[in-house]
């Protein structure tokens, strides 16, 4: 990576140098994979699940085949089959080495096709299934193919709770039955809708009950993040004092995506010394850049919801939403607050975390608190 490139990534994964800490989480995941235990990896949004999966893969791929598949864009089981099959084929087979004809020998009932990715110019396998019958047969073929692999395969299915939105209610049981018959494949099921995931894996009447080890991804520690930030600024001849880093970490509530975004912005400032003033300017700039989005949220919410959102933002954390003092301070009525908070949680505008409500999007919270 060129020295001029911003070391604070705001998407994707590069290498361990640009990845802060997660030592324990990485070791625990690797241990589970090496010992034949599937894992459910959950956290609130934008805390670093996908990054962690890539980080773990960068270490596991020396000895194992690794497949990452994000099923967020899938709407039904046929979609799943297409997306899942495509990810597996393209990760485990090389389109330069295997012809479609050879693959037909492996897959009995479906035809992968080769197409050229317009963005990269690289060939990649595609799976075209349309009917339920085709899809079922293809899925069976894919799992048979996985079973036939000699080398251990590690598959991460990101946004796994998406299968609950499929019209095919049999999906959960079907996948579970295929998965439990595989001995050479380990799975990481990852997602941010914790209540859905935890119901799937901890409810005794559900197919995936207790079939995985549950890993919850919390915040990176303040110390580790501080060191990481100092290291990257210092190696690029920029100065930042401990006090400014503390302000930065507090303002972003140590929420990975927001820490990264602010650092990324701070890094692009022309000043060599990142003073309190420079930091403040960056924070204001971020809020200003997003303002159009924030105003559009107002139009999506009822007045009561918007007022409650503002009140929570002012407080930063609210542990008892029904407390008289809180209601009086913001002129909220107890009867509507219950309904509003539910709606705000459903829209992922507010989250209940560690015994308190707060605004899910940290920057939105800062904007609301400053603006109103
Ligand atoms: N340990 C880390 N060090 C530095 N940056 C990180 C780390 N983990 C994640 N990031 C960055 O933080 C951002 C959010 O991470 P990521 O996308 O992995 O979160 P997520 O939990 O998968 O989010 P979502 O729930 O939205 O899918 C990304 O820009 C990623 O590059
Ligand atoms: Mg993710």
């Amino acid at each position: 990576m060129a020295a001029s490139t911003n070391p604070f990534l705001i998407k994707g994964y590069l290498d361990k140098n640009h990845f802060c800490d997660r030592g324990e989480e990485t070791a625990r995941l690797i241990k589970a994979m090496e010992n034949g235990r599937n894992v459910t990896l959950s956290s609130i949004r934008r805390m670093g699940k996908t990054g962690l999966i890539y980080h773990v893969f960068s270490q596991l791929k020396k000895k194992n085949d690794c497949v990452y598949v994000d099923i967020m864009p899938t709407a039904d089981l046929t979609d799943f089959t297409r997306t899942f099959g495509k990810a597996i084929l393209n990760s485990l087979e090389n389109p330069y080495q295997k012809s479609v004809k050879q693959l037909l020998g492996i897959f009995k009932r479906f035809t992968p096709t080769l197409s050229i990715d317009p963005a990269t110019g690289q060939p990649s396998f595609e799976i075209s299934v349309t009917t339920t019958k085709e899809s079922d047969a293809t899925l069976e073929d894919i799992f048979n193919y996985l079973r036939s692999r000699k080398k251990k395969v590690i598959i991460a299915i990101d946004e796994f709770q998406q299968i609950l939105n499929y019209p095919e209610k049999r999906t959960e049981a079907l996948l579970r039955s295929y998965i439990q018959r595989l001995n050479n494949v380990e799975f990481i099921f990852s997602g941010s809708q914790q209540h859905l995931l935890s119901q799937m894996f901890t409810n005794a009447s559900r197919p995936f009950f207790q079939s995985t080890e549950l890993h919850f991804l919390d915040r990176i520690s303040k110390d580790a993040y501080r060191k990481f930030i100092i290291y990257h600024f210092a190696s690029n001849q920029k100065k930042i004092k401990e006090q400014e880093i503390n302000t930065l970490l507090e303002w972003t509530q140590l929420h990975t995506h927001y820490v990264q975004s602010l650092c990324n912005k701070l890094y692009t400032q022309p000043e060599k010394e990142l003073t309190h003033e420079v930091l403040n300017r960056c924070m204001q700039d971020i809020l200003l850049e997003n303002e159009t989005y924030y105003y559009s949220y107002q139009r999506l919410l009822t007045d009561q919801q918007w007022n409650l959102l503002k009140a929570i933002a002012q407080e930063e954390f609210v542990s008892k939403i029904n407390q008289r003092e809180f209601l009086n301070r913001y002129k909220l009525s107890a009867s509507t607050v219950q309904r509003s908070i539910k709606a705000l949680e459903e829209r992922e505008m507010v989250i209940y975390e560690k015994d308190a409500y707060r605004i899910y999007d940290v920057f939105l919270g800062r904007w609301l608190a400053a603006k109103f």
Side-chain angles (χ1 to χ4, degrees):
M1 183 161 157
S4 61
T5 313
N6 199 313
F8 298 102
L9 304 192
I10 47 171
K11 60 175 189 295
Y13 175 82
L14 191 64
D15 55 30
K16 64 176 191 303
N17 196 29
H18 296 85
F19 193 74
C20 175
D21 194 32
R22 296 297 190 204
E24 276 171 33
E25 294 89 340
T26 303
R28 191 166 169 231
L29 249 169
I30 289 179
K31 196 155 201 172
M33 294 297 108
E34 286 177 346
N35 290 284
R37 301 190 299 261
N38 292 342
V39 166
T40 306
L41 174 65
S42 72
S43 79
I44 61 170
R45 295 213 50 205
R46 299 177 150 188
M47 198 51 88
K49 297 174 295 295
T50 305
L52 180 63
I53 293 172
Y54 277 109
H55 185 63
V56 163
F57 276 8
S58 74
Q59 304 187 20
L60 283 173
K61 73 181 177 210
K62 289 168 212 139
K63 287 197 203 145
N64 310 272
D65 284 327
C66 297
V67 181
Y68 171 86
V69 53
D70 176 6
I71 60 165
M72 185 65 121
T74 62
D76 56 30
L77 188 54
T78 310
D79 247 3
F80 175 89
T81 303
R82 227 181 276 129
T83 307
F84 184 66
K86 184 180 163 176
I88 286 172
L89 268 188
N90 285 307
S91 309
L92 305 183
E93 299 291 346
N94 184 340
Y96 286 112
Q97 286 168 4
K98 276 228 167 66
S99 66
V100 167
K101 206 166 147 209
Q102 279 173 305
L103 282 179
L104 282 176
I106 306 173
F107 300 103
K108 305 284 179 289
R109 288 167 296 190
F110 77 98
T111 1
T113 52
L114 260 182
S115 72
I116 303 291
D117 185 328
T120 61
Q122 299 295 314
S124 86
F125 293 111
E126 292 284 339
I127 292 176
S128 46
V129 288
T130 42
T131 65
T132 305
K133 207 171 147 209
E134 269 175 357
S135 165
D136 281 359
T138 304
L139 198 60
E140 195 180 334
D141 268 2
I142 293 167
F143 279 103
N144 285 338
Y145 164 71
L146 283 174
R147 203 167 17 207
S148 74
R149 305 268 317 172
K150 298 221 166 48
K151 205 168 164 185
K152 183 152 157 172
V153 185
I154 300 181
I155 302 179
I157 309 185
D158 212 348
E159 305 298 349
F160 188 62
Q161 75 277 338
Q162 187 63 18
I163 66 165
L164 301 176
N165 295 328
Y166 297 171
E168 297 89 349
K169 294 302 158 215
R170 63 196 171 100
T171 306
E172 234 178 298
L174 183 70
L175 291 181
R176 169 74 177 128
S177 76
Y178 278 133
I179 285 167
Q180 68 184 353
R181 279 183 269 151
L182 297 170
N183 292 321
N184 59 331
V185 186
E186 308 309 333
F187 284 85
I188 300 171
F189 305 103
S190 171
S192 52
Q193 294 193 320
Q194 288 161 68
H195 60 290
L196 294 180
L197 276 179
S198 82
Q199 277 165 22
M200 229 191 293
F201 292 95
T202 61
N203 182 333
S205 64
R206 303 283 285 269
F208 277 97
F209 175 60
Q210 287 188 349
S211 66
T212 65
E213 205 173 88
L214 303 177
H215 292 201
F216 178 76
L217 193 64
D218 213 328
R219 286 171 166 71
I220 293 169
S221 80
K222 200 166 181 173
D223 271 351
Y225 233 141
R226 192 187 295 122
K227 285 191 191 121
F228 179 80
I229 294 170
I230 291 177
Y231 166 78
H232 280 293
F233 280 125
S235 21
N236 290 283
Q237 290 76 49
K238 284 181 184 279
K239 272 195 210 139
I240 183 161
K241 294 208 181 78
E242 183 141 335
Q243 196 179 346
E244 274 66 56
I245 298 187
N246 286 341
T247 307
L248 180 162
L249 290 174
E250 217 159 279
W251 198 72
T252 53
Q253 297 179 345
L254 264 173
H255 196 151
T256 319
H257 164 80
Y258 302 93
V259 177
Q260 291 294 119
S261 299
L262 181 52
C263 287
N264 183 289
K265 183 115 196 154
L266 203 52
Y267 183 84
T268 59
Q269 303 307 307
E271 289 89 349
K272 285 262 169 250
E273 179 144 7
L274 305 167
T275 58
H276 186 66
E277 288 70 36
V278 179
L279 176 62
N280 263 334
R281 190 181 66 215
C282 274
M283 300 191 297
Q284 298 319 314
D285 282 355
I286 288 180
L287 302 188
L288 213 61
E289 281 161 18
N290 289 314
E291 202 163 66
T292 323
Y293 291 116
Y294 300 155
Y295 276 120
S296 74
Y297 296 154
Q298 185 173 11
R299 288 192 290 277
L300 294 173
L301 302 176
T302 65
D303 286 349
Q304 283 117 338
Q305 290 163 3
W306 182 248
N307 289 336
L308 179 58
L309 196 71
K310 286 191 295 188
I312 296 172
Q314 294 292 341
E315 296 285 311
E316 196 169 351
F317 302 102
V318 182
S319 50
K320 292 199 176 68
I321 208 92
N322 271 320
Q323 210 169 47
R324 183 90 355 244
E325 204 189 318
F326 171 71
L327 296 173
N328 288 346
R329 190 176 313 144
Y330 297 98
K331 300 190 178 58
L332 301 164
S333 94
S335 62
T336 58
V337 154
Q338 267 327 313
R339 232 177 317 133
S340 298
I341 195 72
K342 225 171 146 220
L344 292 173
E345 276 189 283
E346 270 163 21
R347 286 171 182 267
E348 295 193 343
M349 307 279 297
V350 163
I351 179 150
Y352 189 74
E353 194 202 6
K354 304 209 166 104
D355 303 325
Y357 289 101
R358 65 172 183 87
I359 309 295
Y360 211 144
D361 178 331
V362 179
F363 292 159
L364 170 65
R366 296 299 180 203
W367 179 79
L368 285 165
K371 193 89 186 168
F372 298 98

